[in-house]
Amino acid sequence: MDWTDRVNAALSAQERKRLHASLERSRPYGADEWVKQKASELSLEHTRRPEGRPPKVRKPESRTEN
């Protein structure tokens, strides 16, 4: 496949999803290992984590017998 064909080719659903996430989160776009490396180098690790507050972890209720 030559460069013109590659540039004009439609993106797969997975590529579109990753490109959208990259644009929305200002995250580097590329292969997973490359993104991980560049995010670390550029202090953009937060862009690889889900947005928002992490869910609370519930502690198991302790039962006491009297």
Side-chain angles (χ1 to χ4, degrees):
M1 179 183 291
D2 70 7
W3 179 247
T4 306
D5 291 338
R6 176 64 181 134
V7 170
N8 292 323
L11 296 175
S12 70
Q14 181 66 20
E15 288 173 318
R16 287 172 34 146
K17 182 179 175 185
R18 291 178 68 183
L19 184 58
H20 181 74
S22 176
L23 292 171
E24 289 290 315
R25 300 289 314 270
S26 298
R27 151 190 325 169
Y29 178 76
D32 289 335
E33 277 303 310
W34 185 86
V35 169
K36 184 177 178 181
Q37 177 187 9
K38 291 303 169 188
S40 178
E41 288 175 12
L42 299 170
S43 299
L44 295 172
E45 293 93 350
H46 65 280
T47 65
R48 297 186 65 239
R49 294 189 295 266
E51 284 189 275
R53 193 177 191 124
K56 280 189 174 182
V57 177
R58 291 184 158 215
K59 294 180 183 177
E61 292 182 29
S62 61
R63 294 183 180 187
T64 57
E65 293 183 27
N66 291 350

